C-alpha cells in the first residue's frame, strides 16, 4: 500500500521538488554527465549534489526520502548511484491528489 503521508512529506522541500523538476528533463539539465545518457541510466548523485550546492550526505537524505516515497528509483553502476523519476508513481500521486482535494 502506498503511504500518501510519506509521499506528501517527500514533496515538502524545495530541494526535493528541484530534483524532481530536473529529473523530468535529465538530458537538458545534466547533459555534461560523462558516464552515460541521463535519460537512459539516470543522473549521478554527484551531479545532483553539485547542482543543489549541498553536502553529499544532505543530498543523499533528500534522495532517500524521494526513493521511499516511490518518486525516484536508484540504479547502482559500480560504486555510483544514478537516479531517475518514477513517472508511474508521480502520475498515481497526482491522480490521488485530484480525487481528494
Amino acid at each position: 500500500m502506498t503511504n500518501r503521508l510519506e509521499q506528501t512529506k517527500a514533496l515538502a522541500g524545495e530541494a526535493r521538488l528541484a530534483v524532481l523538476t530536473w529529473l523530468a528533463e535529465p538530458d537538458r539539465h545534466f547533459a555534461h554527465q560523462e558516464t552515460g545518457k541521463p535519460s537512459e541510466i539516470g543522473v549521478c548523485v554527484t551531479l545532483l549534489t553539485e547542482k543543489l550546492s549541498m553536502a553529499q550526505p544532505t543530498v543523499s537524505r533528500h534522495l532517500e526520502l524521494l526513493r521511499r516515497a516511490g518518486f525516484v528509483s536508484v540504479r547502482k553502476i559500480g560504486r555510483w548511484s544514478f537516479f531517475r523519476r518514477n513517472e508511474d508513481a508521480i502520475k498515481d500521486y497526482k491522480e490521488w491528489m485530484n480525487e481528494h482535494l
Side-chain angles (χ1 to χ4, degrees):
M1 174 106 185
T2 303
N3 185 331
R4 298 299 186 188
L5 182 58
E6 190 167 355
Q7 287 183 315
T8 302
K9 287 179 181 179
L11 297 177
E14 287 183 41
R16 294 185 293 277
L17 289 174
V19 167
L20 288 175
T21 300
W22 298 330
L23 293 181
E25 297 180 278
D27 293 338
R28 178 175 156 227
H29 294 282
F30 301 98
H32 60 290
Q33 179 170 281
E34 296 177 9
T35 313
K37 192 171 181 181
S39 59
E40 294 174 5
I41 67 168
V43 175
C44 182
V45 68
T46 303
L47 297 181
L48 291 166
T49 299
E50 290 171 5
K51 195 159 178 81
L52 286 167
S53 299
M54 294 179 172
Q56 191 274 329
T58 302
V59 174
S60 290
R61 282 194 299 275
H62 287 303
L63 292 169
E64 179 59 17
L65 286 171
L66 289 171
R67 189 198 63 75
R68 284 198 333 245
F71 294 139
V72 298
S73 60
V74 61
R75 177 180 180 187
K76 299 272 189 180
I77 301 175
R79 58 179 222 177
W80 305 105
S81 296
F82 295 83
F83 289 84
R84 64 187 330 168
R85 283 171 50 120
N86 180 342
E87 297 297 342
D88 290 338
I90 292 169
K91 180 180 179 227
D92 179 65
Y93 182 79
K94 286 178 179 179
E95 290 171 356
W96 178 81
M97 287 291 290
N98 284 333
E99 290 173 13
H100 291 87
L101 288 181

